[in-house]
Structures are given as structure tokens and as C-alpha cells.
Amino acid sequence: MDTVIVQLPEQVGDGPHGHPGRPRLLRLGPGDTADFGRGAPGAPVAVPLSDPGVSRLAGQLTAAEDYWRLSNFSRVVTYVVENLEGAGEHVKVAPGRLGAPVPFEFSRVLLPAAEGEASFKVFAPEHAYLDGEPYDGVGEPTTLPFALDPTSKYFLVLLALCEPRLRHASSGAVPGVGDVLERLRPLETCRRLTRSAVNYHIDYLASVKLRLRTDGPADPEGLGGGKRDELVAFALRFDLIREEHLALLTPPGGR
């Protein structure tokens, strides 16, 4: 089971003809670790950051059950972990701090660098959420097979995809990426949502949260809408998206 996924920084020459390709991912299971920094000859690191202002061995991240920990090996600089779903929410990891827990599902790690900032993204898709009655303390608690956060943008994207069929069960229409974008932008939290971000969330839902596919990231629209169709069918079949969730969207007349 992958509990943490690291999106490696783009390197010069990535992709065909030197153009950026699809993100390179590093998957970690519970207890796995990955060092980050510039690396050294004969001593590469799992997450390379090429900026000359970054230490050769700058730090380490460790995957846990549904979160991860960050160690800062620098003696002088503070690292910042941003919550990519929050409005400026972040945690600071002080110099020399080891094993600082990071509770965010979508994170960006920022390091001060010679050319501004060096960064990489970390995803922790196995967050667990309470569903139904609270655990009564008898035996092992039940683990949700699909941990979805209703406050996240990926959940809103899935909700917008399912909305036509929730409102009209006979509807066979599945919104396109542009339709989703238009539907969500009236929401305060989605005003800066972009087409590429919607595509990213669709791929994240299919490959990580609902595990519909085992291959790498793909263009949802490049599959003729097949991925969106699969997401909607799966989410509605198992009641992952329900009518009560429509309250998270603006009324249809308020578009």
C-alpha cells in the first residue's frame, strides 16, 4: 500500500526533446524514507533538488500510516510545508527538527534556495475520515476503503461530475472538464481553479483515491471521457457521492 506519493521536481531534459513530461512519482509505503537535497557524486538522493543553495543532504521524509514526517537536516534554515488545499495554511520545520508530523493530504515542501525557492510536492492519499457512528471501542475499527475529504477540491470535482445524474437519474451526461470548471468557479475556494488542475484532480481520483487504474497519469479528455464516466459510475454505485453533498455547490440557478 502506498501511503505517500512524492512528485519529483522537474529536471532539465525531462520529457521528449527536453520538454517537461508527465510528473515522475516516488511511491512510499509505511516506514519507507526518502532523502532530499542536491545529492553528491556517488551519493544520489531520492528527491533531487538541483539549486546550488540547497544542501547536498537537506532532509528526509518518512511515510507513516496516513501522514508523513519531515526531518530538516539544515542547521540554519527553516523549511515550510504548505497545505495545497488550505488558504495559506502551513507548518514550519525548524533547523535540526527531526520527524515533524505533517497532517496535510496535499503538500508542497519549500526550501530557501539561491534562485528563490526549491520545492516538491507530497501527497498522502490514505487519510481516514469518520463515517457513520463513532467507533465504540470494541475490537479493531473499520478502515474506510475509500477515504474522501468532502472539504477538498478533488471531492468538489467529483461532485460536479456526478451532479447531472444526482439531480436527474435518467441523465446520461457526464460533464466535461470545461463544464466542471464553470460549475465550480462560483465557489470561493475554487475561484483560481484551472483546467489543468481539474484534469489533475480527475487523474488523482481515478489512480489514487478510487484506484480505478493502475497505470500512470493520463489525460482524462484524451480517453474520450472514459475516465470521467468510470469515476461517476463508481462513485454513485457505492454512494461515495450522495444528494446531500449537492449542498456544497451553488444552486443551479446561481451559476
Side-chain angles (χ1 to χ4, degrees):
M1 179 177 65
D2 301 324
T3 61
V4 167
I5 300 172
V6 182
Q7 181 176 318
L8 300 178
E10 290 182 358
Q11 301 292 312
V12 175
D14 276 358
H17 311 299
H19 297 297
R22 289 174 178 166
R24 295 177 300 131
L25 304 178
L26 175 65
R27 299 176 183 274
L28 304 176
D32 290 345
T33 62
D35 293 332
F36 58 90
R38 280 164 50 220
V45 294
V47 184
L49 300 167
S50 59
D51 189 286
V54 174
S55 300
R56 294 195 178 278
L57 183 58
Q60 183 182 76
L61 59 91
T62 303
E65 292 296 332
D66 63 353
Y67 66 100
W68 54 284
R69 299 192 299 270
L70 181 70
S71 294
N72 181 351
F73 294 160
S74 171
R75 298 290 186 182
V76 293
V77 299
T78 295
Y79 301 159
V80 176
V81 183
E82 292 181 330
N83 180 6
L84 293 177
E85 291 279 45
E89 186 179 16
H90 67 277
V91 296
K92 293 183 178 180
V93 182
R97 176 74 158 90
L98 300 178
V102 178
F104 310 138
E105 181 170 344
F106 294 86
S107 304
R108 178 189 289 119
V109 179
L110 297 171
L111 290 74
E115 299 179 1
E117 295 173 339
S119 67
F120 59 94
K121 295 178 182 177
V122 182
F123 309 126
E126 296 297 332
H127 280 198
Y129 300 93
L130 182 65
D131 186 27
E133 295 297 323
Y135 171 54
D136 60 9
V138 179
E140 291 296 324
T142 302
T143 301
L144 288 176
F146 306 109
L148 300 178
D149 178 6
T151 67
S152 67
K153 289 188 179 63
Y154 68 71
F155 190 88
L156 293 174
V157 169
L158 184 58
L159 177 58
L161 288 171
C162 296
E163 183 184 18
R165 292 191 187 176
L166 283 175
R167 296 193 186 279
H168 305 286
S170 60
S171 174
V174 174
V177 173
D179 300 322
V180 172
L181 197 59
E182 181 181 355
R183 188 68 183 98
L184 295 183
R185 272 190 172 162
L187 300 175
E188 181 65 30
T189 57
C190 295
R191 294 197 188 284
R192 296 184 178 180
L193 195 66
T194 64
R195 191 178 187 85
S196 61
V198 172
N199 276 324
Y200 166 78
H201 286 302
I202 289 173
D203 192 73
Y204 182 71
L205 283 160
S207 62
V208 177
K209 300 302 289 187
L210 305 187
R211 302 185 293 278
L212 299 184
R213 294 166 185 269
T214 57
D215 54 354
D219 178 0
E221 293 194 311
L223 299 175
K227 184 174 289 187
R228 285 178 280 116
D229 289 342
E230 287 185 50
L231 281 172
V232 170
F234 191 88
L236 296 181
R237 181 184 304 131
F238 290 103
D239 284 338
L240 303 179
I241 297 290
R242 302 180 292 275
E243 286 189 22
E244 66 206 55
H245 293 131
L246 291 174
L248 297 173
L249 300 176
T250 57
R255 295 181 190 186

